[in-house]
Amino acid sequence: MADLSIDFCGIKSPNPFWLASAPPANSGDQVMRAFDAGWGGAVWKTLGDPIVNVSSRFGGIDYANQRMMGFNNIELITDRPLDVNFKEIYEVKKRYPMHAVIASLMTETKKDWEVLIRRAEDAGADGLELNFGCPHGMCERGMGSSVGQEPKLLAEITSWAKEFAKTPVLVKLTPNTGDIVEAGMAAIAGGGDGIALINTIKSIVGLDLDRLVPLPRVGNASTNGGYCGPAVKPIALHLLSALAREPNMIPISGIGGIANWRDAAEFIALGSTSVQVCTAVMHYGFRIVRDMIDGLSNYLDQQGMKSVNELRGRAIGAYKEWGELDLGYQVIAKIDKDKCIGCQLCVTACQDGAHQCIFAGSEDRQRPPQAHYPGLAKAPSPLPLGKIAGARVPWVDEPECVGCNLCALVCPVPNCITMEEVPSGRPHETWNDRTDQGRTRQPGGIHD
Amino acid sequence: MAITLSNERDELRLRDKKPLYSEAEARAEAERCLYCSDAPCIKACPTEIDIPTFIKQIASENVRGSAKTIFDQNILGHSCARVCPVEVLCVGSCVYTAWGREPIPIGRLQRYATETTVKGIEKGAAPLHTPKAKTGKKVALIGAGPASLACAAELTLEGHTAVIFEKRGVAGGLNTTGIAPYKLHSQDAVAEVEWVQKLGVEIRLNSEITKDTATKLLADYDAVYIGVGLGADSKLNVPGEEGQGVVGATEWIEQMKLVPGTAKTLGDVIVVGGGNTAIDVARECALLGAKSVTMVYRRSTEEMSGYKHELEGARKEGVRFLTNTQPVGVVRDEKGALKALKVAHATAGVPVAGTETEVPCELVTLAIGQSKLREIASFFDGVEIDRRGCVVADPKTGATGNAKVFAGGDCINGGKEVVNAVADGRNTARFLTAAWTAASTSSASK
């Protein structure tokens, strides 16, 4: 079994799976139950001067029968007294010395930061996470994402923290910013030891259409919240990757829609050292970590990797700017007639949403006026008969297929439509190659 | 006068096998629909309801719109949702079925959309339909079953006047008198009829059409629609058949559904036949507590014309099968009371002499077909009857040999599903509307 333990700029953890600073890490009782379930670490619910919360606080967006594809909250930082929180941190660390406990902190003045950091470290926290990401409620008070959106301020407060901290300092970034690299560089400039991202995205999760009030509804009104859950994973992966590509990057704790070991492996392969989870735990509980540990371990074994550290950053190099992509590469859709169930969603998707090259039925079909080649799309003869779909198996007008993937994405049957590489007859070259050679002009432009 | 439905009817002892979904159930099932393109379920529906659309409308919480989508194609969408053999129609063609996964319960979703919406309208929501301005055209319809109801409703919504003449004291045809109670109870069928009446359809009960009245209808109306269904149950023509204890299947079902006490105590029951009516009676008797139920059929189980899923249901409910067996006589005691059915082994449906045995029983129901109401055709010049006894009509339009007379439903097809009758009636109404619209447009342009 592969070694899952990590060392995050000095913070040791038995595995890369940490609870994010959020409701699941609100109390010692929860954190200890999470550690019993297998979590390697926890970033405590953000500590600062206790606040007052509203009712209600959470909103979800469902997709078909899947609840909470996206999730949003208008809850603030801890609403429990600091001395209670610190006492619980102390107890957790005493009982779980091998697990990582990181104190998320948020306050305003330099003096307050000093007090907060001293008390957190006195309680036994293994590290500190500066919450510069919360995009609701606290930012209006000059904290949270209002710091994360202001690189100078971010660097300065990070440097205050570094001045007082004996343990590693992680800077948690907000995605609500134009350039994540600028924020990351400010964290490094301020002396931060690590970066955590992403915090939630400013959002309105939906409306109560009977009352015409946004959600989550607090009486007759609502406010913007922070968006997270599976829906934000692609955004998080992008921002993580943008930072991880930077030379001399400090360790990153990846956050954003992680719900299982596959998500975690993706974050790690794009440069995360640890990953933090909130929504999936709020949805299904601490128990999800069991498969995260097991699945990641099996995956690493299958990949022949002895440690999770071998996976870290392995996919970073495969990210290229668009101009570096191979214009000669070509895939086309292949439909497995025996897996096909005949729903023909691919036909409609291709006809209405893509390049009009998938058809059904035994007749040759007229290609659309915008086709690449004139004439008819030739129906296969005889028409393929599927084991399940019979004569309803669609067919691909291969010369017209641009290899967009849409059919494979809408197909409800796993691996029924595959995108297969074919010779394109085009040279292996990139747009940048053509730019270098002055061959970027395509007919039909503004000046034609 | 209209029949009053008693609360003591035997059919009320049988509960819905597929009760109305809750909102949560309906939405969860609706969300499973793949929303197929060129969907097989639509093609499998005789009324071509846009099933993927109405299902997505349930999922988007537009239940009223969902009901409208259904009613636009099938005004009896509520009863069809409950009585259609969906296993061999829409649900049977659902791509999930061939995939080996649980298909979408289309019938139950259709019931949810239609029943919820109609109940909402009864509680004060705006009606779904507003009939168009009167055209002055009048149609008389004979028989108040699904074919005539669908035809009349469609005609009414298009602005024509539709009057249905029904010989019984109750409307709805087989929906009211013949559907297995665990699918649809009579009061729900009658409620649907009343809903159609609220659209503006007039129904005259206890109005049997004779040669004379038929002639008057032709004179008074622009068209006449024949939707009379089928006649009395066929008989075995064996010794001892006449008398107590031997009844036709549709007659028995009607009594059980409408007349209290019909099935209070059921002893050993024999059902003769292998079609869907036979299976219905057998299942009903089994569920109503018969001591035993035996289906006697002259050929093999495989050759039974009843649906496989219904046969399977009958097996599970304890119905026994006596196949390759032909009734040859009815045994009665000296007072004429039924004692047993005398049967013989049958090869290829033909009894073998010397193999006779007696099967004791207290009730024999005959489900070996129904006679055809041949006489009705003779009321109208040009209307013909085919060799089976069915009224000859164009299956697409219902047109007969008389330009003013149309026909649809069981009387032209010999006995199919409610949904086929609805399709027939609707198609005739659409045909007439198109013809009259074309005529008025061309006369206006002259």
Side-chain angles (χ1 to χ4, degrees):
Chain A
M1 182 176 158
D3 179 12
L4 294 186
S5 68
I6 56 160
D7 181 332
F8 190 107
C9 56
I11 302 169
K12 294 193 169 49
S13 174
N15 62 47
F17 305 115
W18 294 356
L19 293 181
S21 173
N26 187 47
S27 68
D29 167 63
Q30 286 166 291
V31 170
M32 287 190 284
R33 285 193 288 118
F35 288 170
D36 286 343
W39 292 88
V43 185
W44 210 271
K45 172 98 175 165
T46 301
L47 304 169
D49 278 327
I51 52 70
V52 178
N53 271 311
V54 293
S55 172
S56 60
R57 301 176 196 178
F58 303 142
I61 173 164
D62 307 336
Y63 194 79
N65 279 332
Q66 181 58 54
R67 306 223 68 191
M68 276 166 61
M69 173 197 77
F71 185 71
N72 125 316
N73 84 90
I74 57 170
E75 190 175 280
L76 304 184
I77 64 172
T78 187
D79 55 8
R80 303 190 309 142
L82 279 174
D83 55 352
V84 176
N85 276 296
F86 288 133
K87 187 163 167 281
E88 290 176 4
I89 289 175
Y90 176 78
E91 281 171 12
V92 170
K93 273 312 292 183
K94 209 164 92 178
R95 291 195 206 179
Y96 297 84
M98 309 305 285
H99 289 67
V101 175
I102 291 136
S104 172
L105 307 175
M106 183 195 288
T107 189
E108 291 181 81
T109 67
K110 187 170 181 182
K111 183 67 197 165
D112 289 349
W113 278 105
E114 180 179 13
V115 172
L116 205 51
I117 289 168
R118 293 254 155 87
R119 290 182 70 182
E121 291 187 338
D122 285 349
D126 298 302
L128 310 170
E129 185 180 274
L130 313 182
N131 182 342
F132 296 157
C134 179
H136 51 90
M138 304 310 289
C139 49
E140 293 94 323
R141 308 179 194 182
M143 292 178 273
S145 64
S146 69
V147 177
Q149 288 168 331
E150 195 49 67
K152 269 191 180 165
L153 197 55
L154 189 161
E156 180 166 4
I157 298 179
T158 304
S159 71
W160 295 349
K162 281 300 290 179
E163 192 182 325
F164 307 125
K166 300 190 193 74
T167 60
V169 171
L170 282 69
V171 179
K172 186 166 179 179
L173 300 181
T174 175
N176 301 291
T177 177
D179 182 3
I180 198 70
V181 174
E182 194 183 8
M185 289 303 131
I188 295 173
D193 301 294
I195 285 172
L197 91 166
I198 61 172
N199 205 311
T200 55
I201 303 168
K202 253 189 205 291
S203 60
I204 291 176
V205 80
L207 256 69
D208 178 331
L209 280 176
D210 295 323
R211 298 179 173 86
L212 292 174
V213 174
L215 297 169
R217 189 171 60 84
V218 181
N220 293 322
S222 190
T223 187
N224 82 269
Y227 192 47
C228 56
V232 312
K233 188 182 83 168
I235 298 166
L237 286 175
H238 163 65
L239 297 177
L240 162 68
S241 154
L243 274 185
R245 287 196 298 275
E246 289 297 315
N248 307 316
M249 185 43 60
I250 55 179
I252 301 174
S253 188
I255 313 166
I258 297 164
N260 58 37
W261 70 267
R262 300 187 68 93
D263 301 328
E266 290 170 9
F267 274 79
I268 293 167
L270 277 178
S272 292
T273 300
S274 70
V275 292
Q276 298 185 27
V277 181
C278 165
T279 308
V281 168
M282 293 182 73
H283 198 160
Y284 299 114
F286 298 128
R287 61 197 165 132
I288 61 168
V289 77
R290 180 176 167 171
D291 183 55
M292 297 178 91
I293 292 169
D294 190 54
L296 183 62
S297 175
N298 287 341
Y299 169 74
L300 294 171
D301 290 346
Q302 283 159 16
Q303 297 292 316
M305 297 182 190
K306 298 211 161 13
S307 157
V308 67
N309 298 316
E310 289 182 47
L311 175 62
R312 187 183 317 129
R314 286 283 281 271
I316 294 174
Y319 174 93
K320 304 272 191 214
E321 297 298 332
W322 191 92
E324 296 171 60
L325 300 180
D326 181 2
L327 297 171
Y329 180 75
Q330 178 71 52
V331 289
I332 58 170
K334 296 278 185 189
I335 300 172
D336 183 331
K337 68 179 174 69
D338 291 327
K339 285 194 177 127
C340 175
I341 58 170
C343 70
Q344 298 187 357
L345 284 174
C346 56
V347 177
T348 295
C350 186
Q351 290 297 324
D352 294 0
H355 294 83
Q356 299 86 40
C357 67
I358 302 184
F359 300 92
S362 58
E363 287 167 24
D364 293 349
R365 302 293 292 271
Q366 185 64 48
R367 285 177 174 145
Q370 69 274 19
H372 305 92
Y373 301 97
L376 294 174
K378 295 297 246 181
S381 180
L383 201 64
L385 284 180
K387 280 183 183 156
I388 298 170
R392 280 183 62 87
V393 180
W395 47 273
V396 180
D397 180 18
E398 294 187 354
E400 287 294 321
C401 177
V402 301
C404 73
N405 287 351
L406 182 63
C407 54
L409 297 174
V410 301
C411 178
V413 184
N415 304 316
C416 173
I417 301 181
T418 48
M419 304 305 294
E420 294 184 11
E421 187 175 348
V422 291
S424 68
R426 299 188 297 271
H428 288 283
E429 62 170 1
T430 68
W431 187 254
N432 290 354
D433 293 337
R434 287 170 70 160
T435 306
D436 293 345
Q437 295 158 18
R439 292 191 296 112
T440 56
R441 183 102 186 275
Q442 285 285 96
I446 296 167
H447 302 291
D448 280 342
Chain B
M1 67 170 228
I3 289 174
T4 323
L5 295 178
S6 150
N7 289 331
E8 305 295 318
R9 289 170 294 129
D10 291 296
E11 73 154 349
L12 295 178
R13 282 156 54 201
L14 301 183
R15 299 267 153 240
D16 281 8
K17 277 190 191 287
K18 294 175 181 175
L20 178 67
Y21 272 146
S22 68
E23 183 191 346
E25 288 171 320
R27 276 175 57 191
E29 289 300 323
E31 292 284 18
R32 289 176 53 230
C33 173
L34 292 173
Y35 203 43
C36 292
S37 158
D38 190 27
C41 52
I42 304 177
K43 294 178 176 177
C45 174
T47 56
E48 295 161 312
I49 294 172
D50 187 347
I51 294 164
T53 294
F54 95 66
I55 290 179
K56 282 296 148 191
Q57 288 175 301
I58 293 175
S60 80
E61 299 178 62
N62 179 14
V63 179
R64 186 180 162 85
S66 176
K68 185 72 168 42
T69 301
I70 295 161
F71 289 137
D72 278 350
Q73 286 293 89
N74 181 333
I75 201 73
L76 302 191
H78 177 246
S79 58
C80 284
R82 299 175 64 175
V83 312
C84 261
V86 292
E87 293 84 350
V88 299
L89 296 174
C90 53
V91 174
S93 73
C94 175
V95 297
Y96 277 124
T97 303
W99 196 4
R101 296 175 59 183
E102 191 66 25
I104 304 300
I106 298 168
R108 298 190 71 175
L109 289 172
Q110 184 169 316
R111 177 179 178 179
Y112 173 79
T114 52
E115 191 163 326
T116 307
T117 302
V118 171
K119 277 181 185 166
I121 292 168
E122 280 163 7
K123 284 182 189 153
L128 276 180
H129 300 95
T130 314
K132 293 181 184 166
K134 283 288 175 196
T135 62
K137 295 288 183 188
K138 286 161 60 186
V139 180
L141 303 98
I142 308 171
S148 291
L149 287 169
C151 186
E154 180 93 11
L155 289 167
T156 303
L157 292 177
E158 291 294 336
H160 315 307
T161 298
V163 182
I164 299 178
F165 297 86
E166 168 59 50
K167 68 177 176 186
R168 293 165 195 260
V170 64
L174 279 177
N175 262 357
T176 304
T177 64
I179 303 296
Y182 42 80
K183 293 178 183 167
L184 182 71
H185 292 100
S186 298
Q187 72 273 13
D188 293 340
V190 168
E192 189 181 51
V193 172
E194 287 166 358
W195 184 71
V196 168
Q197 286 175 290
K198 278 181 200 146
L199 300 176
V201 173
E202 184 188 342
I203 301 177
R204 297 186 191 163
L205 297 175
N206 306 303
S207 303
E208 183 156 11
I209 298 301
T210 61
K211 173 77 185 160
D212 289 347
T213 47
T215 310
K216 194 160 162 28
L217 289 185
L218 273 180
D220 293 351
Y221 291 83
D222 296 286
V224 174
Y225 188 79
I226 305 174
V228 293
L230 298 173
D233 295 290
S234 302
K235 296 197 169 173
L236 283 168
N237 297 319
V238 297
E241 185 175 8
E242 298 302 326
Q244 168 275 333
V246 181
V247 293
T250 62
E251 184 191 343
W252 184 85
I253 294 172
E254 178 172 341
Q255 300 288 308
M256 179 269 295
K257 284 177 73 74
L258 300 180
V259 182
T262 305
K264 207 165 190 179
T265 50
L266 289 169
D268 295 306
V269 178
I270 290 177
V271 179
V272 180
N276 285 313
T277 305
I279 302 175
D280 272 1
V281 178
R283 296 186 70 178
E284 287 158 10
C285 288
L287 293 168
L288 284 166
K291 215 163 107 195
S292 76
V293 180
T294 307
M295 284 182 72
V296 171
Y297 181 58
R298 65 197 170 104
R299 294 176 187 271
S300 69
T301 318
E302 291 69 38
E303 290 164 285
M304 285 185 168
S305 63
Y307 297 125
K308 290 276 171 293
H309 63 273
E310 292 285 353
L311 211 56
E312 203 44 47
R315 271 187 215 285
K316 285 179 184 157
E317 283 149 12
V319 173
R320 297 180 209 159
F321 295 87
L322 209 52
T323 50
N324 294 307
T325 303
Q326 171 92 338
V328 292
V330 175
V331 184
R332 298 183 176 277
D333 65 14
E334 58 283 0
K335 287 178 188 161
L338 174 66
K339 276 180 71 184
L341 185 67
K342 189 192 269 188
V343 299
H345 179 73
T347 308
V350 181
V352 180
T355 61
E356 293 84 355
T357 53
E358 291 181 7
V359 186
C361 57
E362 274 103 21
L363 176 68
V364 175
T365 60
L366 305 178
I368 51 174
Q370 286 171 263
S371 66
K372 310 294 191 296
L373 296 168
R374 293 162 185 268
E375 196 187 11
I376 190 83
S378 68
F379 297 167
F380 302 98
D381 289 343
V383 177
E384 289 173 17
I385 296 284
D386 68 11
R387 281 194 316 183
R388 298 177 301 163
C390 296
V391 176
V392 178
D394 178 347
K396 288 199 178 76
T397 64
T400 69
N402 182 321
K404 279 183 82 173
V405 180
F406 296 79
D410 283 359
C411 73
I412 70 163
N413 63 36
K416 280 191 179 178
E417 302 300 334
V418 171
V419 67
N420 299 104
V422 172
D424 285 351
R426 181 204 67 185
N427 291 346
T428 295
R430 287 183 180 175
F431 174 78
L432 287 173
T433 300
W436 288 333
T437 307
S440 70
T441 313
S442 71
S443 68
S445 65
K446 270 175 195 166

